[in-house]
């Protein structure tokens, strides 16, 4: 599948829509505990948008990808409809013009790990408690 939805750079006004996607994911993921309130997540996204390459897809927004261009680190990457090509479209946009991207993903998130493997990412590190929530995380890298 592929997505033909528009991708654009986010504005701070997009923060609530992006936060809803991650908050819904947290609420629907049994192994993921809630470390932050929904309001704190909205604030963090609002503050992060001007500091990063922050892409959103769809109108209304159905996914986002936040990338720190100084170290090519994806810090947030969520879609409301996994398996519909939204994530691939966002990741293709992030890869454009880059030779390297890195990210951390939760080890129990097997769906995301399969997606990243299909997209050419390889595991390079593991941290059993990176976020302090007791959920192991894996650092993955993609190279052109």
């Amino acid at each position: 599948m592929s997505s033909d939805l528009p991708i654009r750079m986010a504005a701070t006004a997009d923060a609530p829509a992006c936060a809803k996607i991650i908050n819904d994911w947290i609420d629907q993921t049994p192994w993921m505990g809630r470390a932050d309130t929904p309001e704190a997540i909205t604030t963090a996204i609002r503050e992060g948008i001007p500091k990063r390459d922050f892409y959103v897809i769809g109108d209304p927004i159905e996914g986002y990808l936040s990338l720190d261009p100084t170290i090519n680190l994806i810090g947030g990457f969520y879609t409301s409809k996994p398996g519909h090509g939204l994530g691939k479209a966002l990741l293709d946009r992030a890869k454009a013009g880059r030779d390297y991207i890195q990210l951390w993903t939760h080890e129990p998130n097997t769906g995301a790990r399969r997606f990243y493997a299909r997209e050419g990412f390889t595991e390079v590190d593991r941290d059993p408690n990176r976020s302090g929530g007791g959920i192991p995380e894996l650092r993955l890298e993609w190279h052109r």
Side-chain angles (χ1 to χ4, degrees):
M1 280 183 256
S2 66
S3 173
D4 59 357
L5 293 175
I7 297 175
R8 63 175 172 79
M9 295 301 281
T12 54
D14 296 321
C18 294
K20 180 175 179 1
I21 294 168
I22 189 172
N23 282 311
D24 288 350
W25 178 81
I26 290 168
D27 292 342
Q28 296 165 7
T29 304
W31 52 262
M32 186 68 191
R34 180 169 285 283
D36 295 304
T37 66
E39 296 78 15
I41 291 171
T42 302
T43 298
I45 290 173
R46 184 178 297 112
E47 292 173 354
I49 286 173
K51 299 174 185 173
R52 295 179 177 79
D53 290 352
F54 204 113
Y55 306 102
V56 294
I57 189 168
D59 185 16
I61 293 169
E62 296 186 41
Y64 76 89
L65 185 150
S66 170
L67 184 134
D68 179 341
T70 63
I71 56 174
N72 288 332
L73 174 68
I74 294 175
F77 185 16
Y78 295 88
T79 68
S80 60
K81 297 177 184 173
H84 286 83
L86 302 170
K88 175 149 180 51
L90 285 165
L91 190 56
D92 286 349
R93 173 65 69 89
K95 286 177 175 178
R98 293 186 170 85
D99 294 325
Y100 165 78
I101 294 177
Q102 62 178 321
L103 60 86
W104 286 89
T105 190
H106 300 100
E107 190 171 37
N109 195 344
T110 56
R113 290 173 54 204
R114 282 191 305 271
F115 168 77
Y116 294 131
R118 282 193 310 272
E119 290 298 315
F121 283 80
T122 56
E123 181 181 336
V124 296
D125 196 7
R126 181 180 188 275
D127 189 325
N129 198 27
R130 179 175 175 266
S131 301
I135 299 171
E137 293 188 40
L138 305 172
R139 190 169 70 84
L140 308 177
E141 291 182 352
W142 169 83
H143 297 267
R144 183 170 309 280

